[in-house]
C-alpha cells in the first residue's frame, strides 16, 4: 500500500513539482492543498495521512499554531515543515512543537525523502508504543472487570442487574440457583422473559426496598433495589427464611403462652365472681375482690392485645378483599358513641362523598380504626371533641382522627408506636397496655400505608393514616 502524504504548500506550482518529481516516484500517494482551511478539510474528510509536509508561511493562519493544534489532535502524526527561510527562532519553535524536521525551500530531493523516511519511522515507533500502552491499560482493566464479575458471581446473595429498559445485564450464580435458571445466557433479555417470578419483576420496577420474594422451594428473600444512574437497576436478594421461621416460632410461642394464661384467668374471674354469690362478704373482703377483679381484667386485656399483635404480625394479610373504609369508620363511630356520650364528648365523622375501596383485611382495618378512635375517646377528657375525617388524594385514602385531649410531647411521638410504650403525659388513671398503637402500626405496614401523629403537649393529637387505594382492574 502506498504511503499517504499530505502536502500543504502555498504555491501550487511548487507543490505539483515536489509531488511529481520527488514524492510520487518514491512511492508516496500525495494529496496537495494550498492553505490551512483546505488542509483541515482534507483531514476531516478522509483517512488520516501517514505524514504531512507543511509550508511556512501557509495562507489562513500561523503555521506553528497549526502544528500545535494538529499535534494536540493527532499526537502520532509526523509533521515536517518546509520554510522559505529558516531562522534560529523558527528552528527552536519547530523543536518545541515536536516537528520531525524543518527543511528549507527550494526542496531538495534527498533532504525531502530522508525527512519523510524519518517521519515514517517515528510514526511506527509512536504507534507501537501506543499499542503496547493501550494493551497494558485494557489488560489491567479487563482483569479488574473479571475480578469484579467473579466477586459478584460468588457472593451468596442473589444479584441481578438490568439496564434502564429492564433488560438483563448480569445474573449471578446465587440468583440462578434461587430461581432454577440453569446456565443460559440471559444478557439482553427482558426480566419478564428471564425470571418467571412476577413479584421479583414488580419489585425491580417499583420504588422502595420493602419487597419480599418467595421461590418455588418456599424460601423467602428480602429484595433490595438500587437505581444506578446511567446504568439501570441492581436488585440483591438476601435469604431471610430463617428470620421468617423465627418470627413464626415467636408468634406460635406468644399465642400458646397467651392461650394457656388466658384460661386460668377466666377461671379466676369466674370463681371471684362466685364468692359474692356464695355468701355475704364484708366491705374489706369486697374491696379485695374488686382489686383481684381489676388485676385480672388488666392482665386479660394485656393477653388479648398480645394475641392481637401476634395475629396481625404473623398473619400479615390472610383475607384480602376490597374494603369500604367509610363503612368501617361509621361502624366504629357507632360502637364508641355510648362511651363518648358518657364522657360528654362529641364524636363525629366529617361528611364525605363516595370513596374508593382499600385492598386489605377487613378485620385488621376495623381493628386499626377502633384502636385510634378508642384512644381518642380514652385520652380526651370529658366534654372534649373528637373529629374523624376520610378523604381521597392521588390514589390514596387518608384517615384523620383528631382530638383536643392532652396531646403527646414531641420527643415521645416517635416512640408511641413501639410495643409497651406509654407517653409520659397520659392522664393518670387511664389504663392501657401500650400495645394498641403497635398493633395499629403493624396493620398499616401490612397494607403498605403510612401513619404519623401531629401533636403538641396540651394541644390535642391528630393521627393520620395514608393507605393506597385498590387499583381498578
Ligand atoms: P395504650 O393506650 O394502651 O397505652 P397505645 O399503644 O394505644 O397504648 O398508645 C401508646 C401511648 O400513646 C399511650 O399510652 C398514650 O400515652 C399515647 N396516646 C395514644 N393515643 C393518644 C391520644 N389520642 N392522645 C394522647 N395520647 C395518646
Amino acid at each position: 500500500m502506498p504511503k499517504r502524504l499530505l502536502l500543504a504548500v502555498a504555491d501550487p506550482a511548487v507543490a505539483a513539482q515536489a509531488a511529481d518529481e520527488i514524492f510520487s516516484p518514491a512511492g508516496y500517494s500525495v494529496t496537495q492543498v494550498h492553505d490551512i482551511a483546505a488542509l483541515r478539510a482534507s483531514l476531516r474528510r478522509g483517512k488520516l495521512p501517514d505524514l504531512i509536509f507543511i509550508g511556512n508561511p501557509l495562507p489562513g493562519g500561523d503555521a506553528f499554531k497549526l502544528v500545535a493544534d494538529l499535534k494536540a489532535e493527532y499526537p502520532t502524526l509526523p509533521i515536517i515543515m518546509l520554510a522559505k527561510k529558516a531562522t534560529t527562532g523558527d528552528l527552536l519553535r519547530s523543536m518545541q512543537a515536536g516537528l520531525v524536521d524543518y527543511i528549507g525551500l527550494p526542496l531538495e530531493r534527498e533532504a525531502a525523502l530522508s525527512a519523510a523516511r524519518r517521519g515514517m519511522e517515528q510514526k511506527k515507533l509512536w504507534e507501537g508504543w501506543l499499542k503496547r500502552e493501550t494493551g497494558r491499560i485494557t489488560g489491567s482493566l479487563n482483569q479488574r472487570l473479571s475480578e469484579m464479575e467473579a466477586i459478584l458471581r460468588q457472593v451468596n446473595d442473589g444479584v441481578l442487574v438490568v439496564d434502564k429498559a429492564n433488560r438483563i445485564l448480569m445474573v449471578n450464580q446465587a440468583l440462578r440457583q434461587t430461581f432454577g435458571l440453569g446456565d443460559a445466557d440471559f444478557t439482553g433479555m427482558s426480566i419478564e422473559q428471564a425470571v418467571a417470578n412476577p413479584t421479583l419483576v414488580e419489585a425491580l420496577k417499583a420504588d422502595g426496598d420493602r419487597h419480599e420474594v418467595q421461590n418455588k422451594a418456599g424460601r423467602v428473600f428480602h429484595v433490595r433495589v438500587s437505581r444506578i444512574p446511567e446504568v439501570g437497576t441492581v436488585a440483591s436478594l438476601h435469604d431471610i427464611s430463617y428470620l421468617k421461621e423465627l418470627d413464626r416460632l415467636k408468634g406460635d410461642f406468644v399465642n400458646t403462652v397467651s392461650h394457656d394464661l388466658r384460661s386460668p384467668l377466666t377461671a379466676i374471674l369466674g370463681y371471684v365472681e362466685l364468692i359474692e354469690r356464695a355468701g355475704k362478704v364484708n366491705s374489706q373482703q369486697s374491696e379485695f375482690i374488686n382489686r383481684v377483679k381489676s388485676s385480672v381484667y388488666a392482665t386479660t386485656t394485656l393477653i388479648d392485645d398480645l394475641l392481637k399483635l401476634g395475629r396481625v404480625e404473623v398473619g400479615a394479610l390472610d383475607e384480602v378483599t376490597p374494603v369500604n373504609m367509610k363503612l368501617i369508620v361509621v361502624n366504629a363511630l357507632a360502637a364508641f358513641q355510648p362511651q363518648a356520650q358518657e364522657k360528654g364528648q362529641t364524636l363525629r365523622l366529617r361528611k364525605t362523598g363516595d370513596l374508593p375501596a382499600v385492598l386489605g383485611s377487613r378485620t385488621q382495618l376495623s381493628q386499626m380504626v377502633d384502636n385510634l378512635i378508642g384512644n381518642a375517646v380514652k385520652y380526651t377528657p370529658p366534654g372534649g371533641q373528637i373529629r374523624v375525617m376520610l378523604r381521597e388524594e392521588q390514589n390514596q385514602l387518608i384517615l384523620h382522627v383528631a382530638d383536643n385531649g392532652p396531646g403527646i410531647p414531641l420527643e415521645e411521638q416517635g416512640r408511641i408506636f413501639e410495643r409497651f410504650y406509654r407517653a409520659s403525659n397520659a392522664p393518670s388513671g387511664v389504663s392501657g397496655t401500650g400495645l394498641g398503637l403497635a398493633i395499629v402500626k403493624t396493620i398499616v405496614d401490612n397494607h403498605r400505608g403510612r401513619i404519623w401523629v401531629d401533636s403538641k403537649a396540651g394541644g390535642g393529637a391528630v393521627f393520620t393514616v395514608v393507605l393506597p387505594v385498590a387499583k381498578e382492574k
Side-chain angles (χ1 to χ4, degrees), residues 168-171 176 181-189 194:
I168 308 263
L169 292 175
M170 200 216 76
V171 182
R176 286 174 185 274
L181 301 182
D183 294 328
D185 181 11
F186 295 107
T187 319
M189 260 194 212

PDB file of all heavy atoms in Angstrom, residues 168-171 176 181-189 194:
ATOM      1  N   ILE A 168     -31.749  -7.594  30.923  1.00  0.00           N
ATOM      2  CA  ILE A 168     -30.724  -8.150  31.809  1.00  0.00           C
ATOM      3  C   ILE A 168     -29.309  -7.769  31.365  1.00  0.00           C
ATOM      4  O   ILE A 168     -28.950  -7.929  30.199  1.00  0.00           O
ATOM      5  CB  ILE A 168     -30.821  -9.696  31.814  1.00  0.00           C
ATOM      6  CG1 ILE A 168     -32.245 -10.136  32.110  1.00  0.00           C
ATOM      7  CG2 ILE A 168     -29.781 -10.311  32.722  1.00  0.00           C
ATOM      8  CD1 ILE A 168     -32.573 -10.496  33.483  1.00  0.00           C
ATOM      9  N   LEU A 169     -28.517  -7.291  32.321  1.00  0.00           N
ATOM     10  CA  LEU A 169     -27.096  -7.051  32.066  1.00  0.00           C
ATOM     11  C   LEU A 169     -26.266  -8.146  32.739  1.00  0.00           C
ATOM     12  O   LEU A 169     -25.242  -8.558  32.215  1.00  0.00           O
ATOM     13  CB  LEU A 169     -26.668  -5.693  32.629  1.00  0.00           C
ATOM     14  CG  LEU A 169     -27.236  -4.445  31.950  1.00  0.00           C
ATOM     15  CD1 LEU A 169     -26.814  -3.200  32.705  1.00  0.00           C
ATOM     16  CD2 LEU A 169     -26.755  -4.368  30.508  1.00  0.00           C
ATOM     17  N   MET A 170     -26.724  -8.600  33.894  1.00  0.00           N
ATOM     18  CA  MET A 170     -25.993  -9.640  34.610  1.00  0.00           C
ATOM     19  C   MET A 170     -26.875 -10.390  35.609  1.00  0.00           C
ATOM     20  O   MET A 170     -27.754  -9.799  36.225  1.00  0.00           O
ATOM     21  CB  MET A 170     -24.836  -9.005  35.370  1.00  0.00           C
ATOM     22  CG  MET A 170     -23.759  -9.984  35.733  1.00  0.00           C
ATOM     23  SD  MET A 170     -23.067  -9.596  37.344  1.00  0.00           S
ATOM     24  CE  MET A 170     -24.331 -10.174  38.399  1.00  0.00           C
ATOM     25  N   VAL A 171     -26.659 -11.690  35.702  1.00  0.00           N
ATOM     26  CA  VAL A 171     -27.356 -12.512  36.687  1.00  0.00           C
ATOM     27  C   VAL A 171     -26.282 -13.347  37.366  1.00  0.00           C
ATOM     28  O   VAL A 171     -25.512 -14.007  36.669  1.00  0.00           O
ATOM     29  CB  VAL A 171     -28.334 -13.493  36.007  1.00  0.00           C
ATOM     30  CG1 VAL A 171     -29.090 -14.294  37.045  1.00  0.00           C
ATOM     31  CG2 VAL A 171     -29.286 -12.782  35.095  1.00  0.00           C
ATOM     32  N   ARG A 176     -29.263 -17.516  39.985  1.00  0.00           N
ATOM     33  CA  ARG A 176     -29.621 -18.628  39.088  1.00  0.00           C
ATOM     34  C   ARG A 176     -30.110 -19.818  39.900  1.00  0.00           C
ATOM     35  O   ARG A 176     -31.096 -20.459  39.554  1.00  0.00           O
ATOM     36  CB  ARG A 176     -28.400 -19.056  38.257  1.00  0.00           C
ATOM     37  CG  ARG A 176     -28.051 -18.082  37.162  1.00  0.00           C
ATOM     38  CD  ARG A 176     -26.761 -18.507  36.488  1.00  0.00           C
ATOM     39  NE  ARG A 176     -26.339 -17.516  35.512  1.00  0.00           N
ATOM     40  CZ  ARG A 176     -26.758 -17.475  34.263  1.00  0.00           C
ATOM     41  NH1 ARG A 176     -27.591 -18.381  33.832  1.00  0.00           N
ATOM     42  NH2 ARG A 176     -26.341 -16.535  33.445  1.00  0.00           N
ATOM     43  N   LEU A 181     -32.433 -21.153  37.218  1.00  0.00           N
ATOM     44  CA  LEU A 181     -32.304 -20.599  35.864  1.00  0.00           C
ATOM     45  C   LEU A 181     -31.283 -21.322  34.992  1.00  0.00           C
ATOM     46  O   LEU A 181     -31.129 -20.997  33.819  1.00  0.00           O
ATOM     47  CB  LEU A 181     -31.920 -19.109  35.938  1.00  0.00           C
ATOM     48  CG  LEU A 181     -32.897 -18.201  36.681  1.00  0.00           C
ATOM     49  CD1 LEU A 181     -32.418 -16.765  36.628  1.00  0.00           C
ATOM     50  CD2 LEU A 181     -34.287 -18.294  36.080  1.00  0.00           C
ATOM     51  N   GLY A 182     -30.539 -22.270  35.564  1.00  0.00           N
ATOM     52  CA  GLY A 182     -29.555 -23.006  34.759  1.00  0.00           C
ATOM     53  C   GLY A 182     -28.409 -22.118  34.325  1.00  0.00           C
ATOM     54  O   GLY A 182     -28.102 -21.119  34.970  1.00  0.00           O
ATOM     55  N   ASP A 183     -27.774 -22.485  33.166  1.00  0.00           N
ATOM     56  CA  ASP A 183     -26.575 -21.752  32.732  1.00  0.00           C
ATOM     57  C   ASP A 183     -26.840 -20.828  31.556  1.00  0.00           C
ATOM     58  O   ASP A 183     -25.914 -20.246  30.999  1.00  0.00           O
ATOM     59  CB  ASP A 183     -25.479 -22.756  32.306  1.00  0.00           C
ATOM     60  CG  ASP A 183     -25.006 -23.568  33.491  1.00  0.00           C
ATOM     61  OD1 ASP A 183     -25.025 -23.005  34.612  1.00  0.00           O
ATOM     62  OD2 ASP A 183     -24.654 -24.752  33.303  1.00  0.00           O
ATOM     63  N   ALA A 184     -28.098 -20.716  31.129  1.00  0.00           N
ATOM     64  CA  ALA A 184     -28.393 -19.950  29.910  1.00  0.00           C
ATOM     65  C   ALA A 184     -27.885 -18.519  30.001  1.00  0.00           C
ATOM     66  O   ALA A 184     -27.753 -17.975  31.091  1.00  0.00           O
ATOM     67  CB  ALA A 184     -29.897 -19.959  29.678  1.00  0.00           C
ATOM     68  N   ASP A 185     -27.583 -17.943  28.826  1.00  0.00           N
ATOM     69  CA  ASP A 185     -27.132 -16.554  28.795  1.00  0.00           C
ATOM     70  C   ASP A 185     -28.364 -15.657  28.647  1.00  0.00           C
ATOM     71  O   ASP A 185     -29.072 -15.732  27.648  1.00  0.00           O
ATOM     72  CB  ASP A 185     -26.183 -16.366  27.597  1.00  0.00           C
ATOM     73  CG  ASP A 185     -25.658 -14.941  27.538  1.00  0.00           C
ATOM     74  OD1 ASP A 185     -25.862 -14.199  28.536  1.00  0.00           O
ATOM     75  OD2 ASP A 185     -25.047 -14.575  26.517  1.00  0.00           O
ATOM     76  N   PHE A 186     -28.587 -14.831  29.635  1.00  0.00           N
ATOM     77  CA  PHE A 186     -29.799 -14.003  29.629  1.00  0.00           C
ATOM     78  C   PHE A 186     -29.526 -12.569  29.196  1.00  0.00           C
ATOM     79  O   PHE A 186     -30.433 -11.752  29.157  1.00  0.00           O
ATOM     80  CB  PHE A 186     -30.435 -13.974  31.028  1.00  0.00           C
ATOM     81  CG  PHE A 186     -30.935 -15.308  31.467  1.00  0.00           C
ATOM     82  CD1 PHE A 186     -30.264 -16.028  32.437  1.00  0.00           C
ATOM     83  CD2 PHE A 186     -32.077 -15.848  30.888  1.00  0.00           C
ATOM     84  CE1 PHE A 186     -30.721 -17.268  32.825  1.00  0.00           C
ATOM     85  CE2 PHE A 186     -32.544 -17.087  31.277  1.00  0.00           C
ATOM     86  CZ  PHE A 186     -31.865 -17.799  32.251  1.00  0.00           C
ATOM     87  N   THR A 187     -28.276 -12.259  28.883  1.00  0.00           N
ATOM     88  CA  THR A 187     -27.916 -10.888  28.559  1.00  0.00           C
ATOM     89  C   THR A 187     -28.815 -10.331  27.450  1.00  0.00           C
ATOM     90  O   THR A 187     -28.973 -10.969  26.410  1.00  0.00           O
ATOM     91  CB  THR A 187     -26.432 -10.827  28.121  1.00  0.00           C
ATOM     92  OG1 THR A 187     -25.704 -11.678  28.982  1.00  0.00           O
ATOM     93  CG2 THR A 187     -25.903  -9.412  28.185  1.00  0.00           C
ATOM     94  N   GLY A 188     -29.397  -9.169  27.706  1.00  0.00           N
ATOM     95  CA  GLY A 188     -30.226  -8.509  26.702  1.00  0.00           C
ATOM     96  C   GLY A 188     -31.692  -8.903  26.750  1.00  0.00           C
ATOM     97  O   GLY A 188     -32.534  -8.283  26.117  1.00  0.00           O
ATOM     98  N   MET A 189     -32.000  -9.972  27.515  1.00  0.00           N
ATOM     99  CA  MET A 189     -33.408 -10.414  27.597  1.00  0.00           C
ATOM    100  C   MET A 189     -34.179  -9.526  28.557  1.00  0.00           C
ATOM    101  O   MET A 189     -33.593  -8.941  29.461  1.00  0.00           O
ATOM    102  CB  MET A 189     -33.447 -11.823  28.174  1.00  0.00           C
ATOM    103  CG  MET A 189     -33.602 -12.893  27.158  1.00  0.00           C
ATOM    104  SD  MET A 189     -34.024 -14.381  28.064  1.00  0.00           S
ATOM    105  CE  MET A 189     -33.268 -15.565  27.034  1.00  0.00           C
ATOM    106  N   ALA A 194     -36.717 -13.680  31.371  1.00  0.00           N
ATOM    107  CA  ALA A 194     -35.661 -14.440  32.031  1.00  0.00           C
ATOM    108  C   ALA A 194     -36.100 -15.024  33.373  1.00  0.00           C
ATOM    109  O   ALA A 194     -35.843 -16.183  33.658  1.00  0.00           O
ATOM    110  CB  ALA A 194     -34.435 -13.570  32.225  1.00  0.00           C
TER     111      ALA A 194
END
